[in-house]
Amino acid sequence: MKEKPEILLIGTGAIGSFYCGKLHQAGARISAVCRSDYDIVKNRGIQVKSIIGDFNYMPEQVVKKASDYSGRPDYIVVATKVLPEINVPDMIHERVYPGTAIVMLQNGINIEEPVAAAFPDNELISGLAFICVSRTEPGQINHQDYGRLVIGRYPSGISDSVSLFADMLNRSGVTCIIEEDIIAARWKKLIWNAPFNPISVLGGGANTIEMMESEPTLHLARKVMEEVVLLAERTGHPIPENVIQKNLDDTAVMTPYKTSMLLDYEGKRSMEVEAILGNTVRLAEKHNVPIPHIQSLYGLLSLLNKKNLGT
Amino acid sequence: MKEKPEILLIGTGAIGSFYCGKLHQAGARISAVCRSDYDIVKNRGIQVKSIIGDFNYMPEQVVKKASDYSGRPDYIVVATKVLPEINVPDMIHERVYPGTAIVMLQNGINIEEPVAAAFPDNELISGLAFICVSRTEPGQINHQDYGRLVIGRYPSGISDSVSLFADMLNRSGVTCIIEEDIIAARWKKLIWNAPFNPISVLGGGANTIEMMESEPTLHLARKVMEEVVLLAERTGHPIPENVIQKNLDDTAVMTPYKTSMLLDYEGKRSMEVEAILGNTVRLAEKHNVPIPHIQSLYGLLSLLNKKNLGT
């Protein structure tokens, strides 16, 4: 593995721009594939305002699509939203070489499968960001709180590529933790995301405290969490029961805030309905696990998403 | 029973104003308790535009509260919405005499219990309206389609009061059907109301066709219907299974329309969350019947209702 690995970033949203900026600080050579931000990033690079120190960086190459990139990446960092209309294998396949590791910094469950199937001989690294960061405008990132990244080889294990990626981030001041069972880590994150993201939207734009204060709503949130725990266990990734109470306790003392899904809804952007709920429902059907509360959220949110986008 | 019974109407919304207007045509003596419509109804009476013939009528007494009414009613027709903040026994108790029959023309399940408990010696008649009718402004009613009323003695059986009430309506051109098991009739109506009213609101203002066209949403609607059928059966009012398919088939061919709950939501008025969902959830808990999909709708709609009312 090279000392200064080449990294191709797909998607200059908040998550990708932030972590690749920190990798840049640690010596990695970053290039970026942008769509709507292309002109601004090409001219001015990326500005990061961050609680751990502001910085700017200029990617070596800024391109509109992966095939315009002329290097041979050690890592391709995929940091787009997970939406049915975004086909990751199509976007990256021309720059996936033998030895290229694909890093998915994205939300949801079971999102790795199509990428693993398309590139069976490449290493796949799955990552979960625990961070408050937003793109305030094209090329402008605001990192407000937290920052921990959890990564692991998919479907399990560790590797030199995983270790190097984590080392660089840790060196740059970001906590990056390696999980040998990254799928279990995804389930643990889903315990919070599966109830609170959808309920915040379906409940009319409710913040965390409003969701916790309504008794029938809290009941629903708990049931959704129980279904996530059940499904994780039935698919071979058991999670301790007390995680539910811990999630609820933590949420009760958080400063009330709007979920990322609610921000997407209010901005009339696509919500990650399939990554968070649809994939969960399909996995449950495959394993014959009843998850009626999650299925209810899915039935409602898929309709609301359509209505919101006017499609 | 008198030839020209005295009827005190509580609530001059669309349903009450329409059916009492038809009872007036059949010779009944109508008085009305109004709140917001008081001045207009007092001065101009009630105007009904109807597909079966326009008409106007003037109640004998128009009052602001039941205790201002000076008669002794044969029937008290309760036609308010069913909301936690509306206490029916409190509103009517001063004019409930021995022999007064209380007629509840209202939506929901298990809504009769508090009234039956408050007036154990009075006859209670429960009624379900299958009608498209709306109050376009105070004192103005627009009857657009259908019109059938289903009534029965609560909790079951028939009586002279029920028969006279039905006869008057039938004489006036409205189809009024007597059901010996009116609770079963309520369950049958809930099969449609429990899924489609909440989903239309939670789905972002969806009409009937939009709800039917989204596969995960239709799945949810069907599951909610199955839970209603299950709960009806377990509480002693079995409904034939094929009612679900019939409801779905009928809905698929309806002219797309907005549910009454959606109209309430859009008008920022209280939705009948407790009458439709809350009472169902509590009954299910009491009888230990699992209804997770209905519980999910309840958890969401109770939060959304609060947010919508700004409470």
Side-chain angles (χ1 to χ4, degrees):
Chain A
M1 188 58 64
K2 300 176 217 164
E3 266 298 287
K4 297 201 165 198
E6 276 191 56
I7 297 179
L8 179 61
L9 167 63
I10 312 290
T12 47
I15 298 278
S17 297
F18 176 76
Y19 287 108
C20 282
K22 299 309 282 183
L23 291 165
H24 173 83
Q25 291 186 322
R29 302 171 54 194
I30 309 291
S31 292
V33 177
C34 314
R35 283 188 311 176
S36 51
D37 315 16
Y38 175 80
D39 288 328
I40 285 174
V41 174
K42 176 99 185 162
N43 290 328
R44 298 200 324 225
I46 293 169
Q47 272 86 53
V48 180
K49 265 181 68 86
S50 167
I51 51 160
I52 56 172
D54 299 350
F55 63 97
N56 303 335
Y57 69 106
M58 177 57 82
E60 294 191 2
Q61 297 176 48
V62 177
V63 293
K64 285 185 173 170
K65 51 187 200 293
S67 56
D68 293 341
Y69 164 71
S70 62
R72 185 183 168 111
D74 299 297
Y75 298 91
I76 294 179
V77 173
V78 180
T80 60
K81 277 166 75 183
V82 181
L83 299 173
E85 60 269 31
I86 299 181
N87 185 319
V88 172
D90 272 7
M91 290 173 77
I92 65 174
H93 71 99
E94 287 164 299
R95 290 299 171 267
V96 177
Y97 294 92
T100 301
I102 302 164
V103 184
M104 300 177 74
L105 302 188
Q106 297 178 297
N107 274 324
I109 201 75
N110 212 19
I111 59 165
E112 301 92 344
E113 250 180 24
V115 179
F119 310 107
D121 300 326
N122 287 80
E123 188 172 334
L124 192 51
I125 299 172
S126 187
L128 293 164
F130 295 83
I131 189 169
C132 273
V133 64
S134 54
R135 193 184 66 160
T136 45
E137 51 188 280
Q140 306 266 351
I141 307 300
N142 186 12
H143 169 215
Q144 294 160 282
D145 212 349
Y146 309 105
R148 182 164 48 99
L149 192 70
V150 175
I151 64 170
R153 185 170 181 158
Y154 177 87
S156 67
I158 53 173
S159 70
D160 288 348
S161 307
V162 170
S163 299
L164 176 62
F165 198 90
D167 285 348
M168 287 189 292
L169 283 175
N170 283 314
R171 230 186 299 144
S172 77
V174 166
T175 303
C176 183
I177 292 163
I178 297 173
E179 274 278 359
E180 290 200 39
D181 185 353
I182 193 66
I183 297 178
R186 285 209 172 264
W187 284 115
K188 276 187 211 147
K189 192 171 187 195
L190 197 71
I191 286 176
W192 200 94
N193 279 337
F196 289 114
N197 272 292
I199 293 173
S200 67
V201 177
L202 292 165
N207 67 32
T208 43
I209 290 300
E210 290 165 331
M211 290 189 271
M212 301 284 290
E213 277 175 354
S214 163
E215 198 277 315
T217 313
L218 183 58
H219 175 90
L220 171 60
R222 193 185 286 274
K223 287 289 174 188
V224 168
M225 289 177 163
E226 287 172 8
E227 290 174 355
V228 172
V229 169
L230 177 68
L231 186 55
E233 190 205 312
R234 295 282 186 88
T235 55
H237 303 275
I239 297 171
E241 272 281 354
N242 66 10
V243 168
I244 292 179
Q245 196 53 49
K246 193 178 175 327
N247 264 279
L248 291 173
D249 291 346
D250 290 352
T251 307
V253 297
M254 277 178 188
T255 308
Y257 86 100
K258 286 185 176 188
T259 66
S260 60
M261 198 176 250
L262 179 53
L263 297 175
D264 281 337
Y265 175 74
E266 291 180 345
K268 302 239 171 234
R269 297 183 296 272
S270 255
M271 295 182 279
E272 292 180 317
V273 181
E274 296 303 326
I276 306 278
L277 299 175
N279 286 358
T280 307
V281 164
R282 284 180 285 273
L283 209 58
E285 275 165 7
K286 192 172 145 192
H287 292 264
N288 213 9
V289 179
I291 55 164
H293 298 88
I294 294 176
Q295 212 145 16
S296 299
L297 296 181
Y298 181 49
L300 296 168
L301 202 65
S302 53
L303 176 59
L304 184 59
N305 194 38
K306 272 191 206 169
K307 292 286 293 179
N308 193 43
L309 300 172
T311 56
Chain B
M1 188 57 66
K2 300 177 219 166
E3 265 298 287
K4 297 200 164 197
E6 275 191 57
I7 297 179
L8 179 61
L9 167 64
I10 312 291
T12 47
I15 298 278
S17 297
F18 176 75
Y19 288 108
C20 282
K22 299 309 282 185
L23 291 164
H24 173 84
Q25 290 187 323
R29 301 172 54 193
I30 309 291
S31 292
V33 177
C34 314
R35 284 188 311 176
S36 51
D37 315 17
Y38 175 80
D39 288 328
I40 286 175
V41 174
K42 176 100 185 158
N43 290 326
R44 299 201 323 225
I46 293 170
Q47 271 87 52
V48 181
K49 264 181 69 88
S50 167
I51 50 162
I52 56 171
D54 300 351
F55 64 98
N56 304 335
Y57 70 106
M58 177 58 82
E60 294 193 2
Q61 298 176 48
V62 176
V63 293
K64 287 184 174 172
K65 51 186 199 294
S67 57
D68 293 342
Y69 163 70
S70 62
R72 186 183 168 110
D74 299 296
Y75 298 91
I76 295 180
V77 173
V78 180
T80 60
K81 276 166 76 182
V82 181
L83 299 173
E85 61 268 31
I86 299 180
N87 185 319
V88 171
D90 272 7
M91 290 173 76
I92 64 175
H93 71 100
E94 287 164 300
R95 289 299 172 266
V96 177
Y97 294 92
T100 301
I102 303 163
V103 184
M104 299 178 74
L105 302 187
Q106 298 177 297
N107 274 324
I109 202 75
N110 212 18
I111 58 166
E112 300 93 344
E113 250 180 23
V115 179
F119 310 106
D121 300 326
N122 286 80
E123 187 173 335
L124 192 50
I125 299 172
S126 187
L128 293 164
F130 295 83
I131 188 168
C132 273
V133 65
S134 55
R135 192 184 65 160
T136 46
E137 51 187 282
Q140 305 266 350
I141 307 300
N142 186 12
H143 169 218
Q144 294 161 284
D145 212 350
Y146 308 105
R148 183 166 45 100
L149 192 71
V150 174
I151 64 172
R153 185 171 183 158
Y154 177 86
S156 67
I158 54 174
S159 70
D160 287 348
S161 306
V162 170
S163 300
L164 175 63
F165 198 89
D167 286 348
M168 285 190 293
L169 283 176
N170 283 314
R171 229 187 299 143
S172 77
V174 166
T175 303
C176 182
I177 293 163
I178 298 173
E179 274 277 0
E180 290 200 39
D181 184 353
I182 193 67
I183 298 178
R186 284 209 172 263
W187 283 115
K188 275 187 211 146
K189 193 172 185 194
L190 197 71
I191 287 176
W192 200 94
N193 279 338
F196 288 115
N197 271 293
I199 293 174
S200 68
V201 176
L202 292 165
N207 67 32
T208 43
I209 290 299
E210 290 165 331
M211 291 189 270
M212 300 284 290
E213 277 175 353
S214 163
E215 198 277 316
T217 314
L218 183 58
H219 176 90
L220 170 60
R222 192 186 287 274
K223 288 288 174 188
V224 169
M225 290 176 164
E226 287 171 9
E227 290 174 357
V228 172
V229 169
L230 177 67
L231 186 55
E233 191 204 313
R234 295 283 187 86
T235 54
H237 302 276
I239 297 172
E241 272 283 353
N242 66 10
V243 169
I244 292 179
Q245 196 52 50
K246 191 175 176 329
N247 264 279
L248 290 173
D249 292 347
D250 289 352
T251 308
V253 297
M254 278 177 188
T255 307
Y257 87 100
K258 288 186 176 188
T259 66
S260 60
M261 198 176 250
L262 178 54
L263 297 176
D264 281 338
Y265 175 75
E266 291 180 344
K268 303 241 173 233
R269 296 184 296 272
S270 255
M271 295 182 281
E272 293 180 316
V273 180
E274 296 303 326
I276 305 280
L277 298 175
N279 286 358
T280 306
V281 164
R282 285 181 284 274
L283 209 58
E285 275 164 8
K286 192 172 146 194
H287 291 264
N288 213 9
V289 179
I291 55 164
H293 298 87
I294 294 176
Q295 212 145 15
S296 300
L297 296 180
Y298 181 49
L300 296 167
L301 201 66
S302 53
L303 177 59
L304 184 59
N305 193 38
K306 273 191 205 170
K307 294 285 294 178
N308 194 43
L309 300 173
T311 55

